[in-house]
Amino acid sequence: MKVRTESGTKDVRAVWFEDGKTVMIDQRRLPHELIFVSFDRYEDVAESIRNMTTRGAPSIGATAAYGMCLAALSGADIDEAAKVMKAARPTANDLFYATDYMVEKVKAGADPIKSADGYAQSMVDKCTLIGNYGAELIKDGFKVMTHCNAGALATVDVGTALAPIRRAFADGKKFFVYASETRPRLQGMQLTAWELNQEGIDHAIIPDGSSGHYIREGVDMIIVGADRIAANGDFANKIGTFEKAVLAKEFGVPFYVAAPISTFDFNTKTGEDIVIENRSEEEVTMVGDIRIAPVGSPALNPAFDMTPAKYVTGFITEKGILKPNEIEKVKE
Ligand code: MRU
């Protein structure tokens, strides 16, 4: 993705490998600062996934691949490293997919850096295809709603939900994007809006609770990403996705999920079996160091929700746009 810096426009990825280190954008510092951090121990890479220095399913996958690369280069026990990596977060399928991919490569004697770089590049290529397929759906004058951040930051580069938006914009289409803020970690406001801003794409941040208001007023399509898609098309994505999908059906708004095949988990039969991560109360009750909730009131903080397949118009993948009952076709 192209970002504007004090020294001009720069092309950056969310995560990459350089001089024996895994380097990534510290996404917790955006939009205030564009800071890069690097790690040379796989355990620290796992921690960077856990504490959300990097986040978004495909970026988590690529980061895990680079973490596993460090494990292989340091001569660590690869199965032990895989266990540590997979324990970082429970919901995004890409974490497990990428870790297993690297275990297989390393055990087959493949070059760890080339393998991890190949994995990251394949994500970017898949996202580009998702953009090409999805852009066809965006027409001039459209109002498009998205949630959380499924942009370049979340996918190494390009994005999943933001890929069709980038491509349609590059094709000269004129449209408007609603980016819902995504309490409590604010990925919509701090990351999606930052990406749209860098590109110059017309958009506004909206409070999560106003989605229904705008959907009723007239949204033409909703595109979100996914963390895990079950074999029957039920899927988990950032908390707040489910109600948008239900409202979309109520008001006849097409609801699309953009994701690479690495996010599909054919071993999970339905969405009921997807593990939903619960994060700390403090993410809800605190803003920085300041408590904004009454002392003594507990908070609940599910990071994701599950949306049944019946609410999905289509899955935009690198293999085309699929209806929920067609996804078995792309089983790898
Ligand atoms: O908790 P996060 O920020 O990792 O959650 C991210 C999301 O829910 C994204 O929508 C999803 O991973 C798709 S990213 C292309």
Side-chain angles (χ1 to χ4, degrees), residues 106-121:
V106 170
K107 287 190 175 171
D111 179 83
I113 302 178
K114 278 195 188 135
S115 302
D117 271 342
Y119 185 89
Q121 184 56 45

Side-chain angles (χ1 to χ4, degrees), residues 113-149:
I113 302 178
K114 278 195 188 135
S115 302
D117 271 342
Y119 185 89
Q121 184 56 45
S122 78
M123 273 311 130
V124 180
D125 297 342
K126 288 171 184 182
C127 288
T128 304
L129 291 171
I130 288 171
N132 296 348
Y133 287 118
E136 300 285 313
L137 302 166
I138 301 176
K139 311 285 177 219
D140 260 327
F142 261 29
K143 289 181 177 160
V144 181
M145 183 178 281
T146 189
H147 184 54
C148 191
N149 173 262

Side-chain angles (χ1 to χ4, degrees), residues 15 22 45 57-67 94-95 98 116 119-120 123 155-156:
V15 58
T22 303
V45 172
S59 277
I60 289 173
T63 303
Y66 285 127
D94 298 62
L95 173 60
Y119 185 89
M123 273 311 130
T155 64
V156 184

